[in-house]
Amino acid sequence: MSGISVNGMKPRDNTVLYKDKDPLHQKDIDARDVGTPDDWVPRHPDLVRLTGRHPFNVEPPLPALMEQGFITPASLHYVRNHGAVPKLEWDSFRLSIDGLVDAPKVFTMDDLVKMPAREIPVTLVCAGNRRKEENLRKQTIGFNWGAAGHACSVWKGVLLRDVLLECGVKTPDDGANHVCFVGAESMPKGRYGTSINWFTAMDPACDVMLAYEQNGERLTPDHGYPLRLIIPGYIGGRMIKWLTEISVTEAESDNFFHFNDNRVLPEHVTAEIANAEGWWYKPDYIINELNINSAIAYPAHQELLPLEGDGQKYTVKGYCYSGGGRKVIRVELSVDGGENWTLSKLTHPEKPTEYGKYWCWCFWELEVDVSELMMGENTELLCRGWDAAMNRQPEALTWNVMGMMNNSYFRIKVHRCLHPTTSKPALRFQHPTLAGPGNFGGWFEELSLGPAEAKS
């Protein structure tokens, strides 16, 4: 197979959605993984490590993510691991399904592959995307994601509803209200698990999938080999990797991580207050669907633009996504601190599903007059996205103890300078943060921690 057209999508410019093999496929073990439990997993060396050597939590540099276009190779897809990657084999792997079903069953991978398959592009996003901005306001209990904690791949698998129907799943009238999932990932607090409601699991429009392929190849270890959950439009934290158990239940999951992860608590609630007052168990604060979010990718951080005189143009570019299958309907750019906004040109590489759902990120661009970027000493580029439900990114971030779902305006500072090689006038662009704990030089970092020169 040289490529695939899915969901009625036609590859643009005679290209394909994905190639036969990951063009950046890695075979070597990164030296940083030697001596860790993951010293058998090949990984791309350019991924930005957010939690040191282990566990493996990474995102690609934002320019590298954007350069890949609509479909992200598995080797550059962000990774969120809580512990060591389980060593699982295709032939010996088993998925058990029990609970409120007429016929509990155990499936092999071959059993699942024989069932009718669904293959669609889906953007996955960590709920902590852009968390570093929150950590610079006040430290959260999470680590420093930048603006590339997301990626888009073509996922293939069997719909969860089909597997549950095969087992004779009961209905809410019989008390079947939730579907619980547990993976093989082992940690001191137990295995990672969560749940979704019965209606989401069983609605064909929701496309909840047990995936075994990513971009035409079997899953890699970091992405859940041999089987993972895909819930389009939801945060990545609900999409259990190395999925081994599914149970249909009356109550939601009682897994430790279902309650103690992926929440947006009120701004006054610290970790101590959350533990003392039981905020983790209040149902109103759970995160499921993604919110609207966008960012500027170009100009890149520290990009230099030589000034060429009157009439000079520059094309600002970025990405936008939303949750719940809602279409991104506009992204606006401001060059004057938010006083005025201009509509950008949107590109949606996907077509909606037969149910009208948009599961993927989109791209935007706007050509601006460079002279507009030189009108003041504190010029900023700001972007904000809107979706079909008229959800709009807020101007300012709202801090929360988990540092999740930050979707405030994305701001780039514009500085006048002399080009270091020509000594001629130029503009230098500065992003708010750089992903990871040891990276420094964003304007938000300088605002919170002092100038970069002082840190060096």
Side-chain angles (χ1 to χ4, degrees), residues 147-274:
H150 59 94
C152 186
S153 291
V154 177
W155 302 94
K156 181 178 180 179
V158 58
L159 290 180
L160 172 63
R161 72 183 305 272
D162 290 345
V163 177
L164 293 177
L165 288 171
E166 180 79 11
C167 297
V169 62
K170 296 184 183 296
T171 70
D173 288 340
D174 305 311
N177 298 320
H178 299 271
V179 182
C180 302
F181 311 93
V182 179
E185 190 178 26
S186 181
M187 293 157 287
K189 296 290 187 180
R191 291 185 295 154
Y192 197 88
T194 191
S195 63
I196 59 176
N197 68 56
W198 185 95
F199 293 100
T200 300
M202 296 302 295
D203 186 348
C206 291
D207 276 322
V208 182
M209 180 192 304
L210 309 183
Y212 46 76
E213 284 188 10
Q214 180 182 10
N215 297 339
E217 299 183 87
R218 287 184 178 180
L219 302 179
T220 58
D222 276 323
H223 295 297
Y225 179 85
L227 190 70
R228 70 167 300 163
L229 185 65
I230 296 292
I231 314 174
Y234 269 41
I235 61 168
R238 301 278 167 237
M239 305 189 202
I240 303 299
K241 298 189 289 188
W242 315 289
L243 179 64
T244 58
E245 298 176 20
I246 299 175
S247 186
V248 182
T249 60
E250 182 176 4
E252 66 181 307
S253 172
D254 61 1
N255 187 277
F256 173 86
F257 298 97
H258 180 70
F259 288 102
N260 290 271
D261 201 354
N262 300 308
R263 307 264 161 167
V264 173
L265 302 181
E267 194 166 3
H268 76 279
V269 179
T270 63
E272 293 75 19
I273 291 174

Side-chain angles (χ1 to χ4, degrees), residues 73-152:
S75 56
L76 278 183
H77 196 290
Y78 84 92
V79 177
R80 175 67 174 105
N81 289 346
H82 296 82
V85 175
K87 288 187 178 182
L88 303 173
E89 300 293 337
W90 183 277
D91 291 338
S92 60
F93 181 85
R94 299 292 184 269
L95 170 69
S96 67
I97 298 182
D98 60 19
L100 295 174
V101 296
D102 291 330
K105 291 189 177 182
V106 175
F107 292 84
T108 67
M109 288 306 303
D110 290 341
D111 292 334
L112 296 172
V113 170
K114 291 175 183 176
M115 298 183 69
R118 177 80 161 164
E119 189 168 29
I120 56 173
V122 179
T123 293
L124 271 56
V125 184
C126 180
N129 192 39
R130 296 182 58 192
R131 179 189 284 139
K132 192 170 187 180
E133 297 164 50
E134 291 200 47
N135 279 338
L136 290 167
R137 173 70 60 81
K138 179 182 175 182
Q139 184 62 47
T140 73
I141 61 175
F143 51 83
N144 289 315
W145 289 100
H150 59 94
C152 186

